[in-house]
C-alpha cells in the first residue's frame, strides 16, 4: 500500500484529472498504426493487396502467358507495383470505409477528440504504410527473379507511389463514403478487375485499338502504370501527362468526396 503523507492526506491535485486532446502528431501516428494493423489483419485485404500481385509477378515471369518485352521481370514490375497501389488505395480503402460506415465506426470516431483532418490523415498515412510494405515485399521478390532497378528509378517510384496512393485513395473514399457497403463491395471489385484487364495494367494503352487507347490513357491506372514503366523499365523521368492525370483524378475525387461522404 502507498504510504500517506504526514498530514494524512495526499497533496492537492494528486488525482486531479487533466482532460483534453493528446498531441496531434501522437494521435495521427496512433490512428495510422491502427488503420494499417487492421488492414493487414484482414485476410481478404491481404489476398487482394499482396498475394494476388505477388502471384502475378512470379507466375507471369516464369510462364509466357502474355507477350512481354524481355527481360520479363523488368517489364512486369511496374505493372505489378501499379496493381498493388490500386488494390490497397482504391479497392481496400473503399471497402473498408463502406463497412466502417455500416457498423458505425466512422460515426463514433467522429464523436471523439480526433479532429476530422486527423481521421482522414490517419487513414491516408496507414494506407501509405501498407503500400510501402507491399512494394518492399514485391521488390524483394522481383530482385530474387533477376530485377535490378536503377537508383533514379527507385526515387521516381517512391514519388509515383505516393501520388498514386493519394489519387486512388481519394477515389476509394468517394466510392466508399457515398454508397451502401454491399454496393461498394461489388462495385469496387468490378472496377478493380476492369482496370486490371483493360485499364492499362495488364493490357497497356499501346496494345489496344487507337480509339480505346485514347480513353485508357486518361485513366489513373494507365497513368500510374506508364509512369512506373518510364521510371523502372525505360530509365526515364515520368511524363508530365502522368503526373497531371493522377493529380486531376485525385483532386476531383477529393473535392467531390467532401460533399458526398456520409458518416453512416
Amino acid at each position: 500500500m502507498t504510504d500517506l503523507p504526514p498530514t494524512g492526506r495526499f497533496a492537492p491535485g494528486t488525482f486531479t484529472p487533466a482532460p483534453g486532446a493528446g498531441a496531434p502528431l501522437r494521435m495521427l501516428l496512433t490512428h495510422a498504426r491502427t488503420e494499417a494493423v487492421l488492414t493487414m489483419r484482414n485476410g481478404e485485404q491481404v489476398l487482394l493487396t499482396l498475394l494476388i500481385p505477388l502471384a502475378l509477378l512470379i507466375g507471369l515471369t516464369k510462364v509466357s502467358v502474355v507477350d512481354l518485352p524481355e527481360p520479363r521481370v523488368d517489364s512486369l514490375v511496374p505493372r505489378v507495383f501499379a496493381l498493388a497501389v490500386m488494390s490497397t488505395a482504391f479497392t481496400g480503402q473503399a471497402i473498408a470505409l463502406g463497412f466502417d460506415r455500416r457498423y458505425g465506426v466512422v460515426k463514433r470516431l467522429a464523436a471523439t477528440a480526433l479532429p476530422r483532418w486527423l481521421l482522414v490523415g490517419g487513414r491516408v498515412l496507414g494506407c501509405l504504410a501498407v503500400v510501402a510494405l507491399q512494394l518492399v515485399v514485391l521488390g524483394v521478390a522481383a530482385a530474387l527473379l533477376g530485377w535490378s532497378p536503377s537508383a533514379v528509378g527507385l526515387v521516381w517510384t517512391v514519388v509515383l507511389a505516393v501520388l498514386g496512393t493519394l489519387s486512388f485513395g481519394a477515389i476509394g473514399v468517394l466510392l466508399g463514403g457515398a454508397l451502401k457497403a454491399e454496393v461498394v463491395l461489388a462495385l469496387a471489385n468490378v472496377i478493380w478487375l476492369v482496370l486490371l484487364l483493360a485499364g492499362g495494367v495488364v493490357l497497356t494503352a499501346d496494345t489496344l485499338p487507337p480509339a480505346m487507347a485514347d480513353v485508357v490513357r486518361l485513366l489513373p491506372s494507365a497513368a500510374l502504370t506508364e509512369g512506373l514503366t518510364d521510371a523502372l523499365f525505360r530509365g526515364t523521368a515520368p511524363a508530365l501527362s502522368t503526373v497531371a492525370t493522377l493529380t486531376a483524378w485525385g483532386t476531383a475525387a477529393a473535392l467531390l468526396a467532401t460533399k458526398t461522404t456520409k458518416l453512416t
Side-chain angles (χ1 to χ4, degrees):
M1 297 180 63
T2 303
D3 295 330
L4 292 174
T7 59
R9 301 178 60 185
F10 287 101
T14 301
F15 299 108
T16 301
L25 180 59
R26 183 177 180 182
M27 290 194 294
L28 176 64
L29 294 177
T30 300
H31 185 43
R33 183 175 65 250
T34 300
E35 292 290 345
V37 169
L38 289 176
T39 298
M40 297 308 298
R41 283 181 178 176
N42 189 318
E44 180 185 351
Q45 295 280 26
V46 173
L47 174 66
L48 181 68
T49 61
L50 184 57
L51 296 186
I52 290 178
L54 188 60
L56 288 174
L57 174 64
I58 298 173
L60 293 178
T61 298
K62 296 297 184 180
V63 182
S64 300
V65 178
V66 180
D67 291 333
L68 295 170
E70 295 292 342
R72 292 178 65 86
V73 66
D74 287 4
S75 59
L76 268 172
V77 167
R79 305 183 192 202
V80 172
F81 277 13
L83 175 63
V85 172
M86 185 174 70
S87 300
T88 298
F90 168 63
T91 312
Q93 284 297 303
I95 294 173
L97 179 58
F99 280 93
D100 282 351
R101 288 174 47 236
R102 175 182 178 178
Y103 296 131
V105 174
V106 178
K107 182 178 180 180
R108 286 172 172 79
L109 284 174
T112 66
L114 294 175
R116 296 293 179 91
W117 70 266
L118 196 146
L119 289 174
V120 176
R123 277 186 175 269
V124 171
L125 196 58
C127 184
L128 284 171
V130 175
V131 168
L133 178 60
Q134 282 179 281
L135 297 188
V136 169
V137 172
L138 292 171
V140 170
L144 294 175
L145 294 170
W147 178 56
S148 55
S150 66
V152 175
L154 291 178
V155 171
W156 277 116
T157 297
V158 172
V159 174
L160 290 169
V162 172
L163 183 59
T165 299
L166 295 176
S167 179
F168 277 107
I171 301 171
V173 170
L174 174 62
L175 181 64
L179 303 176
K180 292 183 178 180
E182 294 80 5
V183 177
V184 173
L185 178 62
L187 194 56
N189 283 304
V190 169
I191 294 174
W192 178 85
L193 185 60
V194 171
L195 291 179
L196 170 63
L197 298 178
V201 180
V202 172
L203 299 176
T204 60
D206 295 337
T207 64
L208 299 172
M212 186 176 180
D214 292 338
V215 176
V216 169
R217 287 191 179 95
L218 298 176
L219 298 176
S221 53
L224 182 58
T225 303
E226 189 66 20
L228 289 171
T229 301
D230 287 338
L232 295 174
F233 186 67
R234 301 189 183 104
T236 61
L240 182 60
S241 59
T242 295
V243 177
T245 300
L246 290 172
T247 302
W249 274 93
T251 302
L255 291 176
L256 190 55
T258 59
K259 299 182 181 297
T260 59
T261 300
K262 305 170 185 175
L263 296 181
T264 59

Short mmCIF file of all heavy atoms in Angstrom, two decimals, residues 32-88:
data_model
loop_
_atom_site.label_atom_id
_atom_site.label_comp_id
_atom_site.label_asym_id
_atom_site.label_seq_id
_atom_site.Cartn_x
_atom_site.Cartn_y
_atom_site.Cartn_z
N ALA A 32 -2.97 6.06 -37.52
CA ALA A 32 -2.40 5.46 -38.73
C ALA A 32 -1.96 4.02 -38.47
O ALA A 32 -2.19 3.12 -39.30
CB ALA A 32 -1.22 6.30 -39.22
N ARG A 33 -1.32 3.80 -37.32
CA ARG A 33 -0.88 2.44 -36.98
C ARG A 33 -2.07 1.51 -36.83
O ARG A 33 -2.04 0.36 -37.30
CB ARG A 33 -0.06 2.47 -35.69
CG ARG A 33 0.49 1.10 -35.31
CD ARG A 33 1.39 1.14 -34.09
NE ARG A 33 0.67 1.54 -32.89
CZ ARG A 33 0.84 2.69 -32.27
NH1 ARG A 33 1.69 3.59 -32.74
NH2 ARG A 33 0.16 2.98 -31.18
N THR A 34 -3.15 2.00 -36.21
CA THR A 34 -4.35 1.18 -36.04
C THR A 34 -4.94 0.80 -37.39
O THR A 34 -5.32 -0.35 -37.63
CB THR A 34 -5.39 1.94 -35.21
OG1 THR A 34 -4.84 2.25 -33.93
CG2 THR A 34 -6.64 1.10 -35.02
N GLU A 35 -5.03 1.78 -38.30
CA GLU A 35 -5.59 1.51 -39.63
C GLU A 35 -4.73 0.50 -40.38
O GLU A 35 -5.26 -0.41 -41.04
CB GLU A 35 -5.68 2.81 -40.43
CG GLU A 35 -6.70 3.82 -39.90
CD GLU A 35 -8.13 3.37 -40.13
OE1 GLU A 35 -8.35 2.43 -40.94
OE2 GLU A 35 -9.04 3.93 -39.49
N ALA A 36 -3.41 0.64 -40.29
CA ALA A 36 -2.53 -0.27 -41.01
C ALA A 36 -2.64 -1.68 -40.45
O ALA A 36 -2.69 -2.67 -41.21
CB ALA A 36 -1.09 0.23 -40.92
N VAL A 37 -2.68 -1.81 -39.12
CA VAL A 37 -2.77 -3.13 -38.49
C VAL A 37 -4.09 -3.80 -38.84
O VAL A 37 -4.14 -5.00 -39.15
CB VAL A 37 -2.60 -3.01 -36.97
CG1 VAL A 37 -2.96 -4.32 -36.28
CG2 VAL A 37 -1.18 -2.60 -36.62
N LEU A 38 -5.19 -3.05 -38.80
CA LEU A 38 -6.49 -3.61 -39.14
C LEU A 38 -6.53 -4.09 -40.59
O LEU A 38 -7.13 -5.12 -40.91
CB LEU A 38 -7.59 -2.57 -38.91
CG LEU A 38 -7.90 -2.23 -37.44
CD1 LEU A 38 -8.93 -1.11 -37.36
CD2 LEU A 38 -8.40 -3.46 -36.70
N THR A 39 -5.88 -3.35 -41.47
CA THR A 39 -5.83 -3.75 -42.87
C THR A 39 -5.07 -5.07 -43.03
O THR A 39 -5.52 -6.00 -43.73
CB THR A 39 -5.15 -2.67 -43.73
OG1 THR A 39 -5.93 -1.47 -43.66
CG2 THR A 39 -5.05 -3.11 -45.19
N MET A 40 -3.93 -5.17 -42.37
CA MET A 40 -3.10 -6.37 -42.52
C MET A 40 -3.71 -7.58 -41.82
O MET A 40 -3.36 -8.72 -42.14
CB MET A 40 -1.70 -6.10 -41.98
CG MET A 40 -0.94 -5.02 -42.73
SD MET A 40 -0.90 -5.28 -44.53
CE MET A 40 -0.01 -6.83 -44.63
N ARG A 41 -4.60 -7.35 -40.86
CA ARG A 41 -5.25 -8.47 -40.17
C ARG A 41 -6.41 -9.04 -40.98
O ARG A 41 -6.90 -10.14 -40.68
CB ARG A 41 -5.77 -8.02 -38.80
CG ARG A 41 -4.69 -7.88 -37.75
CD ARG A 41 -5.30 -7.44 -36.43
NE ARG A 41 -4.29 -7.34 -35.37
CZ ARG A 41 -4.55 -6.91 -34.14
NH1 ARG A 41 -5.78 -6.53 -33.82
NH2 ARG A 41 -3.59 -6.85 -33.25
N ASN A 42 -6.86 -8.31 -41.99
CA ASN A 42 -8.00 -8.73 -42.80
C ASN A 42 -7.49 -9.66 -43.90
O ASN A 42 -6.76 -9.25 -44.80
CB ASN A 42 -8.68 -7.49 -43.40
CG ASN A 42 -10.00 -7.83 -44.08
OD1 ASN A 42 -10.10 -8.83 -44.78
ND2 ASN A 42 -11.00 -7.00 -43.86
N GLY A 43 -7.91 -10.92 -43.85
CA GLY A 43 -7.42 -11.90 -44.81
C GLY A 43 -7.77 -11.54 -46.25
O GLY A 43 -6.96 -11.72 -47.16
N GLU A 44 -8.98 -11.05 -46.48
CA GLU A 44 -9.39 -10.66 -47.83
C GLU A 44 -8.53 -9.52 -48.35
O GLU A 44 -8.13 -9.50 -49.52
CB GLU A 44 -10.86 -10.24 -47.83
CG GLU A 44 -11.38 -9.81 -49.20
CD GLU A 44 -12.80 -9.29 -49.15
OE1 GLU A 44 -13.45 -9.43 -48.09
OE2 GLU A 44 -13.27 -8.75 -50.16
N GLN A 45 -8.22 -8.57 -47.47
CA GLN A 45 -7.40 -7.44 -47.88
C GLN A 45 -5.99 -7.89 -48.22
O GLN A 45 -5.38 -7.43 -49.20
CB GLN A 45 -7.34 -6.40 -46.75
CG GLN A 45 -8.67 -5.75 -46.44
CD GLN A 45 -9.02 -4.65 -47.43
OE1 GLN A 45 -8.58 -4.66 -48.56
NE2 GLN A 45 -9.80 -3.70 -46.99
N VAL A 46 -5.43 -8.79 -47.42
CA VAL A 46 -4.08 -9.30 -47.69
C VAL A 46 -4.04 -10.03 -49.02
O VAL A 46 -3.10 -9.88 -49.81
CB VAL A 46 -3.61 -10.22 -46.55
CG1 VAL A 46 -2.28 -10.88 -46.89
CG2 VAL A 46 -3.49 -9.43 -45.25
N LEU A 47 -5.08 -10.82 -49.30
CA LEU A 47 -5.16 -11.53 -50.57
C LEU A 47 -5.18 -10.56 -51.74
O LEU A 47 -4.45 -10.74 -52.72
CB LEU A 47 -6.42 -12.42 -50.60
CG LEU A 47 -6.72 -13.12 -51.93
CD1 LEU A 47 -5.62 -14.14 -52.23
CD2 LEU A 47 -8.09 -13.79 -51.89
N LEU A 48 -5.99 -9.53 -51.61
CA LEU A 48 -6.16 -8.57 -52.70
C LEU A 48 -4.92 -7.70 -52.88
O LEU A 48 -4.50 -7.43 -54.00
CB LEU A 48 -7.39 -7.69 -52.43
CG LEU A 48 -7.73 -6.63 -53.48
CD1 LEU A 48 -8.21 -7.29 -54.76
CD2 LEU A 48 -8.82 -5.70 -52.94
N THR A 49 -4.36 -7.26 -51.77
CA THR A 49 -3.30 -6.25 -51.85
C THR A 49 -1.90 -6.82 -52.01
O THR A 49 -1.02 -6.14 -52.52
CB THR A 49 -3.33 -5.36 -50.60
OG1 THR A 49 -3.10 -6.18 -49.43
CG2 THR A 49 -4.64 -4.65 -50.44
N LEU A 50 -1.68 -8.07 -51.58
CA LEU A 50 -0.32 -8.60 -51.60
C LEU A 50 -0.20 -9.92 -52.35
O LEU A 50 0.64 -10.05 -53.25
CB LEU A 50 0.19 -8.77 -50.17
CG LEU A 50 1.64 -9.24 -50.04
CD1 LEU A 50 2.59 -8.28 -50.75
CD2 LEU A 50 2.03 -9.37 -48.58
N LEU A 51 -1.04 -10.89 -52.02
CA LEU A 51 -0.86 -12.22 -52.59
C LEU A 51 -1.15 -12.25 -54.08
O LEU A 51 -0.43 -12.93 -54.85
CB LEU A 51 -1.75 -13.23 -51.85
CG LEU A 51 -1.43 -13.43 -50.36
CD1 LEU A 51 -2.28 -14.53 -49.78
CD2 LEU A 51 0.06 -13.75 -50.18
N ILE A 52 -2.19 -11.55 -54.54
CA ILE A 52 -2.50 -11.55 -55.98
C ILE A 52 -1.39 -10.88 -56.78
O ILE A 52 -0.91 -11.45 -57.77
CB ILE A 52 -3.87 -10.89 -56.24
CG1 ILE A 52 -4.99 -11.80 -55.71
CG2 ILE A 52 -4.07 -10.63 -57.73
CD1 ILE A 52 -6.37 -11.23 -55.87
N PRO A 53 -0.94 -9.65 -56.41
CA PRO A 53 0.20 -9.07 -57.14
C PRO A 53 1.45 -9.94 -57.11
O PRO A 53 2.16 -10.07 -58.12
CB PRO A 53 0.43 -7.73 -56.43
CG PRO A 53 -0.90 -7.39 -55.85
CD PRO A 53 -1.48 -8.70 -55.42
N LEU A 54 1.72 -10.57 -55.96
CA LEU A 54 2.90 -11.43 -55.85
C LEU A 54 2.77 -12.65 -56.76
O LEU A 54 3.74 -13.05 -57.43
CB LEU A 54 3.08 -11.86 -54.40
CG LEU A 54 4.36 -12.62 -54.05
CD1 LEU A 54 5.58 -11.77 -54.36
CD2 LEU A 54 4.35 -13.01 -52.58
N ALA A 55 1.57 -13.24 -56.79
CA ALA A 55 1.35 -14.40 -57.66
C ALA A 55 1.48 -14.03 -59.14
O ALA A 55 2.06 -14.79 -59.93
CB ALA A 55 -0.03 -15.00 -57.38
N LEU A 56 0.96 -12.86 -59.51
CA LEU A 56 1.08 -12.41 -60.90
C LEU A 56 2.54 -12.15 -61.27
O LEU A 56 2.98 -12.49 -62.37
CB LEU A 56 0.25 -11.14 -61.11
CG LEU A 56 -1.27 -11.32 -61.13
CD1 LEU A 56 -1.96 -9.96 -61.21
CD2 LEU A 56 -1.68 -12.18 -62.32
N LEU A 57 3.28 -11.55 -60.35
CA LEU A 57 4.69 -11.26 -60.61
C LEU A 57 5.47 -12.55 -60.88
O LEU A 57 6.20 -12.66 -61.88
CB LEU A 57 5.29 -10.51 -59.43
CG LEU A 57 6.81 -10.26 -59.49
CD1 LEU A 57 7.15 -9.34 -60.65
CD2 LEU A 57 7.31 -9.68 -58.17
N ILE A 58 5.32 -13.53 -60.01
CA ILE A 58 6.06 -14.77 -60.15
C ILE A 58 5.55 -15.59 -61.33
O ILE A 58 6.33 -16.09 -62.15
CB ILE A 58 5.97 -15.60 -58.85
CG1 ILE A 58 6.62 -14.82 -57.69
CG2 ILE A 58 6.66 -16.95 -59.02
CD1 ILE A 58 6.43 -15.47 -56.33
N GLY A 59 4.21 -15.69 -61.44
CA GLY A 59 3.63 -16.52 -62.49
C GLY A 59 3.92 -16.01 -63.89
O GLY A 59 4.35 -16.78 -64.77
N LEU A 60 3.72 -14.71 -64.11
CA LEU A 60 3.93 -14.16 -65.45
C LEU A 60 5.40 -14.04 -65.81
O LEU A 60 5.76 -13.93 -66.98
CB LEU A 60 3.24 -12.81 -65.57
CG LEU A 60 1.71 -12.84 -65.51
CD1 LEU A 60 1.13 -11.43 -65.59
CD2 LEU A 60 1.14 -13.71 -66.63
N THR A 61 6.27 -14.03 -64.80
CA THR A 61 7.70 -14.04 -65.08
C THR A 61 8.14 -15.42 -65.56
O THR A 61 8.96 -15.55 -66.48
CB THR A 61 8.50 -13.65 -63.83
OG1 THR A 61 8.16 -12.32 -63.44
CG2 THR A 61 10.00 -13.69 -64.11
N LYS A 62 7.59 -16.45 -64.95
CA LYS A 62 8.00 -17.82 -65.25
C LYS A 62 7.25 -18.44 -66.42
O LYS A 62 7.77 -19.32 -67.11
CB LYS A 62 7.81 -18.70 -64.00
CG LYS A 62 8.68 -18.30 -62.81
CD LYS A 62 10.15 -18.46 -63.14
CE LYS A 62 11.03 -18.18 -61.93
NZ LYS A 62 12.47 -18.33 -62.24
N VAL A 63 6.02 -18.00 -66.65
CA VAL A 63 5.18 -18.60 -67.70
C VAL A 63 4.84 -17.54 -68.74
O VAL A 63 4.35 -16.46 -68.39
CB VAL A 63 3.88 -19.21 -67.11
CG1 VAL A 63 3.06 -19.86 -68.22
CG2 VAL A 63 4.22 -20.21 -66.02
N SER A 64 5.04 -17.83 -70.01
CA SER A 64 4.80 -16.86 -71.09
C SER A 64 3.35 -16.89 -71.54
O SER A 64 3.03 -17.27 -72.67
CB SER A 64 5.74 -17.15 -72.26
OG SER A 64 7.08 -17.06 -71.88
N VAL A 65 2.45 -16.50 -70.64
CA VAL A 65 1.03 -16.43 -70.99
C VAL A 65 0.75 -15.17 -71.80
O VAL A 65 -0.04 -15.16 -72.73
CB VAL A 65 0.16 -16.46 -69.71
CG1 VAL A 65 -1.31 -16.33 -70.06
CG2 VAL A 65 0.42 -17.73 -68.93
N VAL A 66 1.40 -14.07 -71.43
CA VAL A 66 1.24 -12.79 -72.10
C VAL A 66 2.58 -12.40 -72.70
O VAL A 66 3.63 -12.56 -72.06
CB VAL A 66 0.76 -11.70 -71.11
CG1 VAL A 66 0.61 -10.36 -71.81
CG2 VAL A 66 -0.54 -12.12 -70.45
N ASP A 67 2.55 -11.90 -73.94
CA ASP A 67 3.79 -11.45 -74.57
C ASP A 67 4.28 -10.17 -73.89
O ASP A 67 3.56 -9.18 -73.80
CB ASP A 67 3.55 -11.16 -76.06
CG ASP A 67 3.29 -12.44 -76.85
OD1 ASP A 67 3.79 -13.50 -76.42
OD2 ASP A 67 2.59 -12.39 -77.88
N LEU A 68 5.53 -10.22 -73.41
CA LEU A 68 6.12 -9.09 -72.71
C LEU A 68 7.54 -8.87 -73.22
O LEU A 68 8.22 -9.82 -73.63
CB LEU A 68 6.16 -9.36 -71.19
CG LEU A 68 4.83 -9.47 -70.46
CD1 LEU A 68 5.05 -9.97 -69.04
CD2 LEU A 68 4.11 -8.13 -70.45
N PRO A 69 7.99 -7.61 -73.18
CA PRO A 69 9.39 -7.35 -73.55
C PRO A 69 10.34 -8.06 -72.59
O PRO A 69 10.02 -8.28 -71.42
CB PRO A 69 9.51 -5.82 -73.43
CG PRO A 69 8.10 -5.31 -73.47
CD PRO A 69 7.25 -6.38 -72.86
N GLU A 70 11.48 -8.42 -73.09
CA GLU A 70 12.50 -9.07 -72.26
C GLU A 70 13.43 -8.02 -71.65
O GLU A 70 13.71 -7.00 -72.28
CB GLU A 70 13.29 -10.07 -73.11
CG GLU A 70 12.48 -11.24 -73.62
CD GLU A 70 12.02 -12.18 -72.52
OE1 GLU A 70 12.61 -12.12 -71.41
OE2 GLU A 70 11.11 -12.98 -72.77
N PRO A 71 13.95 -8.27 -70.46
CA PRO A 71 13.60 -9.37 -69.55
C PRO A 71 12.19 -9.19 -68.98
O PRO A 71 11.79 -8.07 -68.64
CB PRO A 71 14.67 -9.29 -68.47
CG PRO A 71 15.14 -7.87 -68.50
CD PRO A 71 15.01 -7.39 -69.90
N ARG A 72 11.48 -10.27 -68.87
CA ARG A 72 10.06 -10.22 -68.49
C ARG A 72 9.86 -9.59 -67.13
O ARG A 72 8.92 -8.82 -66.92
CB ARG A 72 9.47 -11.64 -68.51
CG ARG A 72 9.37 -12.26 -69.88
CD ARG A 72 8.82 -13.67 -69.81
NE ARG A 72 7.45 -13.67 -69.34
CZ ARG A 72 6.38 -13.50 -70.14
NH1 ARG A 72 6.53 -13.27 -71.43
NH2 ARG A 72 5.16 -13.53 -69.63
N VAL A 73 10.70 -9.92 -66.17
CA VAL A 73 10.50 -9.40 -64.82
C VAL A 73 10.62 -7.87 -64.80
O VAL A 73 9.88 -7.19 -64.06
CB VAL A 73 11.50 -10.04 -63.82
CG1 VAL A 73 12.93 -9.64 -64.13
CG2 VAL A 73 11.13 -9.68 -62.40
N ASP A 74 11.51 -7.31 -65.62
CA ASP A 74 11.68 -5.86 -65.65
C ASP A 74 10.44 -5.16 -66.18
O ASP A 74 10.08 -4.07 -65.72
CB ASP A 74 12.89 -5.49 -66.51
CG ASP A 74 14.21 -5.83 -65.83
OD1 ASP A 74 14.17 -6.41 -64.73
OD2 ASP A 74 15.27 -5.53 -66.40
N SER A 75 9.79 -5.75 -67.17
CA SER A 75 8.58 -5.14 -67.72
C SER A 75 7.36 -5.41 -66.86
O SER A 75 6.35 -4.69 -66.94
CB SER A 75 8.34 -5.65 -69.15
OG SER A 75 8.21 -7.07 -69.16
N LEU A 76 7.43 -6.45 -66.02
CA LEU A 76 6.30 -6.79 -65.15
C LEU A 76 6.25 -5.95 -63.88
O LEU A 76 5.18 -5.61 -63.40
CB LEU A 76 6.36 -8.27 -64.77
CG LEU A 76 5.62 -9.27 -65.64
CD1 LEU A 76 5.95 -10.68 -65.21
CD2 LEU A 76 4.12 -9.02 -65.58
N VAL A 77 7.42 -5.63 -63.34
CA VAL A 77 7.46 -4.94 -62.05
C VAL A 77 6.64 -3.65 -62.04
O VAL A 77 5.86 -3.43 -61.10
CB VAL A 77 8.92 -4.67 -61.63
CG1 VAL A 77 8.98 -3.68 -60.47
CG2 VAL A 77 9.59 -5.97 -61.22
N PRO A 78 6.75 -2.75 -63.04
CA PRO A 78 5.93 -1.53 -63.00
C PRO A 78 4.44 -1.82 -62.97
O PRO A 78 3.68 -1.14 -62.26
CB PRO A 78 6.33 -0.80 -64.28
CG PRO A 78 7.67 -1.34 -64.63
CD PRO A 78 7.67 -2.75 -64.19
N ARG A 79 4.01 -2.82 -63.70
CA ARG A 79 2.58 -3.15 -63.74
C ARG A 79 2.11 -3.72 -62.41
O ARG A 79 1.03 -3.39 -61.92
CB ARG A 79 2.32 -4.17 -64.86
CG ARG A 79 2.81 -3.72 -66.23
CD ARG A 79 2.45 -4.73 -67.28
NE ARG A 79 3.15 -4.48 -68.54
CZ ARG A 79 2.73 -4.92 -69.71
NH1 ARG A 79 1.63 -5.65 -69.80
NH2 ARG A 79 3.40 -4.66 -70.81
N VAL A 80 2.93 -4.58 -61.82
CA VAL A 80 2.57 -5.18 -60.54
C VAL A 80 2.58 -4.12 -59.44
O VAL A 80 1.71 -4.12 -58.55
CB VAL A 80 3.52 -6.35 -60.21
CG1 VAL A 80 3.28 -6.85 -58.80
CG2 VAL A 80 3.33 -7.48 -61.21
N PHE A 81 3.54 -3.21 -59.47
CA PHE A 81 3.57 -2.12 -58.50
C PHE A 81 2.30 -1.27 -58.61
O PHE A 81 1.70 -0.89 -57.60
CB PHE A 81 4.80 -1.25 -58.71
CG PHE A 81 6.06 -1.78 -58.07
CD1 PHE A 81 6.11 -3.09 -57.59
CD2 PHE A 81 7.19 -0.99 -57.95
CE1 PHE A 81 7.26 -3.59 -57.00
CE2 PHE A 81 8.35 -1.48 -57.35
CZ PHE A 81 8.38 -2.78 -56.88
N ALA A 82 1.91 -0.95 -59.85
CA ALA A 82 0.70 -0.15 -60.06
C ALA A 82 -0.53 -0.89 -59.55
O ALA A 82 -1.43 -0.29 -58.93
CB ALA A 82 0.54 0.18 -61.54
N LEU A 83 -0.58 -2.20 -59.80
CA LEU A 83 -1.70 -3.01 -59.31
C LEU A 83 -1.76 -3.01 -57.79
O LEU A 83 -2.84 -2.91 -57.20
CB LEU A 83 -1.56 -4.44 -59.84
CG LEU A 83 -2.60 -5.45 -59.33
CD1 LEU A 83 -4.00 -5.05 -59.76
CD2 LEU A 83 -2.25 -6.85 -59.82
N ALA A 84 -0.60 -3.11 -57.14
CA ALA A 84 -0.56 -3.12 -55.68
C ALA A 84 -1.08 -1.81 -55.10
O ALA A 84 -1.86 -1.79 -54.14
CB ALA A 84 0.86 -3.39 -55.21
N VAL A 85 -0.63 -0.70 -55.67
CA VAL A 85 -1.11 0.62 -55.21
C VAL A 85 -2.61 0.74 -55.41
O VAL A 85 -3.34 1.18 -54.50
CB VAL A 85 -0.37 1.74 -55.97
CG1 VAL A 85 -1.00 3.09 -55.64
CG2 VAL A 85 1.11 1.75 -55.60
N MET A 86 -3.09 0.35 -56.57
CA MET A 86 -4.52 0.44 -56.87
C MET A 86 -5.34 -0.45 -55.94
O MET A 86 -6.41 -0.06 -55.46
CB MET A 86 -4.75 0.03 -58.32
CG MET A 86 -6.18 0.19 -58.81
SD MET A 86 -6.31 -0.16 -60.59
CE MET A 86 -6.01 -1.94 -60.59
N SER A 87 -4.85 -1.66 -55.65
CA SER A 87 -5.58 -2.59 -54.79
C SER A 87 -5.74 -2.04 -53.38
O SER A 87 -6.82 -2.10 -52.79
CB SER A 87 -4.85 -3.94 -54.74
OG SER A 87 -4.76 -4.50 -56.03
N THR A 88 -4.65 -1.52 -52.83
CA THR A 88 -4.69 -1.03 -51.45
C THR A 88 -5.41 0.30 -51.33
O THR A 88 -6.31 0.47 -50.50
CB THR A 88 -3.25 -0.89 -50.91
OG1 THR A 88 -2.63 -2.17 -50.90
CG2 THR A 88 -3.26 -0.35 -49.49
#
